[in-house]
Amino acid sequence: MKHVRTMTGCIVLMMILVISFTSCKEEPGRSSLRLTVHSNEDQNRSILPQDTPLEVSRYAVTGIGPQGSTFEMQSTSPTMEVEGLLMGNWEITAVGQNLHGVNLVSGSATCSLTSEPTNALIELDSLMGSGTMNVEFTWDTSKISNPSIDLWVTDSDGLKTKVNPTTSNYINGAVYYSATYPAGSYMLQGRLYSGATAVAGCVEVVRIVGGKTTEGAIALDLDKYPEIPSTLTLINKAGTPIECSISGITTSVAAFQEITASITVPESESNEGLGVLWFLDGEELSSSLDCTFTPSTGTHRLDLIAKGALLASSGSASISFKAIVAGTPGYPVLANTVTDNTDGLKISGNTKIAFLPDGKILLASSIHASLQICRIVRDSLEVIRTYTLSDGFNTSMVTDMLVDKNTSKVAIADNLNPGITLYQYNTSNASLTKLFSRDNVTFIYEGGETTFTSISSLMLDPISGILYNVVPGTNMLPYSNFFATQASEFNMYSYKYWFMDPDTISGITMSPFLNRAAWYSTEQNVIKIGKRTSDGQLFGYLREYASPETPYLTGISAAEFISDTSLVTGGDTALNRFEYSQLLPDTNEDGWEQVETWLSGADGIGEMQGIVQLFTDASRSLLYVLCEGSKNIKVFSIQQGSDTLMYQQTIALEGFTPSEAVISPDKLNMLIVSDTNNQLLIFSIPQ
């Protein structure tokens, strides 16, 4: 019985104690909370979601406290006060929203409320949700062939990932990239290639917002108008915006020369904590406040990306500039040496070259038996199309190529048969269409025919439409109808021939106004100059000048009219200028006088040996003398009005043996090929 009473007593005691505690329990005290919300969002972006403001306009705050108590409130002010909260520990969450109620950023904090009012600070440091990046890259297809593009995405932690275009439309010059990413700022980097050559690029900062699509269009423009932003706002690690300036670069800079672009911080500010990345045409160059590089010719894009400490913060600027060749206008500057088999180029052995009307290049290699259409890209050559014998093209043993810019027709001579083939060039797709071919039959007569055994060069008379071809070792100039509309019209079965004239023709040339022509003989050291007759014949009224009566014509191998009344010849070691006179001294007839002679090693011009070509610039203010023997180019100025020559400069070719040079239609480039070097030289011409 005693044991039982003891147990009963314990139970009663516990009940009393519980009742006592319950009776003595007080309602917890209440307090107030002053809450400040601080957003780390910065708004300096490059590509943003459309119709989605990124400014935090209001705040949604929730809290969970003692005994499961909660509160919710919204405010447009970052500072708010909540009263009547139970004292104790509270978990508080704040969401920053834009004016449309889209959640942008969130943060949370834990605080303990006491009898005294409590202040709490919540950092909004977490971006919310995931969104879609949808960016289109476009370019001008007329300037890019065989395009490809490399893309990379770098997140806020610096993790760089190479990605592939989601949709590719290379034919129309566009690719698209679309992907879903967590909210934040991303660096999108792109490099556009034409063949194997990088021709353009960009870097953009893309802002992703939860539940939204960020769309952008980036034009990779090779001809964008140069533009330099005057200032750039960068964010330092403390989150302070600093107005900076860009120095060291202008809208036009010197190509092939080192330049340094810099970010300049005001004297009142510190540059500590500024994180900067520089990109040239989409390729990263530097991560310091200075960026040093050497640009090739053409338009470039220099991107500057600044990453600050603020959440998803960045400043960015795109600097467009044009790099041009520095130097004296018209004097070529070597830009690049291209070697055989580089990126598919065939430039080995007896290479022939011509510019097409749209500025593309026609390249023929005898060793490779190939015909290629190329373009100049970033001071190099890119192959657009290659033709061989298997394509039905006459690509073997090519001796000369002639391009008519008015009709876009191309005549190609070869010594395989020998013969001439006429093509039509299509500028829309950079292709050749074979029109007609002719063989070596010059004339058909009863019982036989006249033929030629080889061709060395071509010349077109645009007035008559006659295409002349030089037959080495003869004084025969066979005719072809360049403007033929059917195959039967192409071979005219006729030729120009000087009966009883023992001199053989090595080359021919025509005056700028098409009313005079000349032919020369290297073997006989003679030049013969004529004019168009009343019936349209081009080689009428020939005047003959030969060594030794006319000195310094030894080995004559080039001739060029620099005007209708001045003809320049070049030979082994001499350059001569002949001038037309309506009445020669001590005669009663018109003719040509030898008025100037420049000799190799004399008058300060240096070595000038083995002249193989004479040609002028478009304005005929400069004469270029291409020398195979001395491996250089001599530049002479042409005095307007008198046509007097004045030596200006020698451009050494450094061991390269030249055979032919051409100037681009836009006057910006000179290309030189060789019969022996398996290389091609690309020069830029300062304007």
Side-chain angles (χ1 to χ4, degrees), residues 47 133-137 175-178 188 206 214 216-218:
I47 300 178
M133 177 192 303
N134 190 4
V135 181
E136 177 188 21
F137 297 85
V175 298
Y176 303 84
Y177 177 67
S178 181
L188 179 60
V206 182
T214 301
I218 301 173

Side-chain angles (χ1 to χ4, degrees), residues 37 72 162 194 247 304 383 388 464 520 652:
V37 181
E72 294 182 7
K162 188 173 184 179
S194 184
S247 60
L304 174 63
V383 177
T388 63
S464 66
Y520 59 86

Side-chain angles (χ1 to χ4, degrees), residues 541-686:
Y541 313 109
L542 285 182
R543 299 290 188 264
E544 178 179 326
Y545 306 92
S547 291
E549 292 82 6
T550 303
Y552 310 118
L553 288 178
T554 302
I556 179 174
S557 53
E560 174 77 3
F561 282 95
I562 60 175
S563 72
D564 265 31
T565 57
S566 281
L567 174 70
V568 179
T569 66
D572 289 344
T573 59
L575 185 72
N576 297 281
R577 184 172 72 87
F578 290 82
E579 188 173 82
Y580 175 74
S581 174
Q582 291 184 339
L583 184 63
L584 293 174
D586 303 323
T587 70
N588 292 320
E589 60 181 20
D590 65 349
W592 296 77
E593 292 183 275
Q594 189 179 30
V595 293
E596 281 188 79
T597 298
W598 295 82
L599 299 178
S600 176
D603 300 314
I605 70 171
E607 295 299 311
M608 183 179 64
Q609 299 178 2
I611 298 172
V612 292
Q613 187 181 359
L614 302 169
F615 57 106
T616 68
D617 63 351
S619 64
R620 296 189 177 271
S621 60
L622 292 175
L623 173 69
Y624 302 103
V625 182
L626 190 65
C627 303
E628 181 183 57
S630 51
K631 298 180 176 60
N632 54 27
I633 305 171
K634 299 292 181 180
V635 182
F636 290 81
S637 61
I638 303 172
Q639 183 67 37
Q640 299 302 305
S642 67
D643 291 336
T644 301
L645 300 179
M646 182 64 67
Y647 169 72
Q648 298 295 332
Q649 189 181 53
T650 295
I651 301 168
L653 300 182
E654 305 298 340
F656 184 88
T657 304
S659 60
E660 183 183 9
V662 289
I663 295 178
S664 61
D666 61 9
K667 303 175 288 186
L668 298 179
N669 293 101
M670 179 187 295
L671 273 60
I672 303 179
V673 293
S674 172
D675 285 341
T676 56
N677 296 87
N678 297 332
Q679 294 176 320
L680 178 149
L681 304 184
I682 300 177
F683 285 82
S684 293
I685 304 177

Side-chain angles (χ1 to χ4, degrees), residues 8 27 262 318 324-325 355 393-394 514 524 547 651:
T8 303
E27 179 75 8
S262 303
S318 291
I324 60 176
V325 180
F355 271 102
F393 281 55
N394 294 4
L514 312 178
Q524 282 83 33
S547 291
I651 301 168

Side-chain angles (χ1 to χ4, degrees), residues 475-476 495-503 519 528:
N475 63 1
M476 174 193 301
Y495 60 97
K496 182 72 175 178
Y497 177 76
W498 285 268
F499 185 69
M500 298 295 291
D501 190 334
D503 296 330
W519 62 265
K528 300 187 180 185

Side-chain angles (χ1 to χ4, degrees), residues 173-466:
V175 298
Y176 303 84
Y177 177 67
S178 181
T180 299
Y181 288 94
S185 283
Y186 295 84
M187 188 169 67
L188 179 60
Q189 179 182 354
R191 296 203 79 194
L192 177 65
Y193 294 83
S194 184
T197 304
V199 294
C202 68
V203 177
E204 295 281 2
V205 176
V206 182
R207 176 65 163 93
I208 300 298
V209 175
K212 297 293 181 179
T213 297
T214 301
E215 295 184 334
I218 301 173
L220 298 170
D221 191 351
L222 276 67
D223 296 321
K224 183 178 179 181
Y225 186 79
E227 181 180 6
I228 306 294
S230 58
T231 60
L232 171 66
T233 301
L234 303 184
I235 309 297
N236 65 15
K237 289 183 178 179
T240 304
I242 300 176
E243 195 80 2
C244 303
S245 60
I246 300 170
S247 60
I249 188 168
T250 59
T251 56
S252 180
V253 302
F256 314 124
Q257 295 185 19
E258 188 176 90
I259 60 175
T260 298
S262 303
I263 288 295
T264 303
V265 178
E267 294 182 0
S268 59
E269 302 288 349
S270 171
N271 59 15
E272 294 183 5
L274 285 179
V276 176
L277 291 176
W278 298 85
F279 296 82
L280 180 64
D281 298 324
E283 181 179 9
E284 184 175 340
L285 294 182
S286 173
S287 58
S288 66
L289 297 183
D290 296 331
C291 176
T292 300
F293 58 95
T294 303
S296 59
T297 58
T299 301
H300 298 271
R301 171 171 166 159
L302 184 66
D303 285 298
L304 174 63
I305 304 294
K307 184 67 172 65
L310 295 186
L311 184 62
S313 69
S314 64
S316 64
S318 291
I319 304 167
S320 296
F321 65 94
K322 188 172 185 178
I324 60 176
V325 180
T328 304
Y331 296 5
V333 176
L334 182 63
N336 194 13
T337 300
V338 182
T339 303
D340 183 35
N341 288 320
T342 300
D343 298 327
L345 282 166
K346 307 299 182 184
I347 49 178
S348 176
N350 194 22
T351 303
K352 302 300 178 184
I353 192 168
F355 271 102
L356 294 161
D358 60 356
K360 294 183 178 64
I361 299 151
L362 196 58
L363 198 64
S365 170
S366 291
I367 287 182
H368 292 292
S370 62
L371 186 65
Q372 294 184 310
I373 297 175
C374 311
R375 77 167 88 218
I376 298 175
V377 178
R378 293 289 188 222
D379 304 315
S380 187
L381 286 189
E382 176 200 1
V383 177
I384 300 174
R385 205 174 300 277
T386 299
Y387 298 102
T388 63
L389 289 170
S390 62
D391 299 308
F393 281 55
N394 294 4
T395 59
S396 182
M397 301 176 66
V398 172
T399 60
D400 198 15
M401 301 188 296
L402 183 145
V403 177
D404 179 44
K405 65 179 181 180
N406 296 316
T407 62
S408 294
K409 288 184 177 180
V410 178
I412 299 179
D414 69 85
N415 275 336
L416 182 63
N417 292 317
I420 303 172
T421 304
L422 192 64
Y423 300 88
Q424 182 66 54
Y425 177 64
N426 187 342
T427 58
S428 64
N429 61 2
S431 65
L432 289 173
T433 300
K434 188 175 181 179
L435 298 178
F436 319 119
S437 292
R438 63 156 294 170
D439 55 18
N440 63 338
V441 177
T442 302
F443 185 72
I444 298 176
Y445 55 90
E446 185 176 351
E449 60 186 21
T450 302
T451 62
F452 55 84
T453 58
S454 63
I455 301 175
S456 62
S457 60
L458 301 171
M459 187 187 79
L460 173 64
D461 176 8
I463 293 179
S464 66
I466 293 177

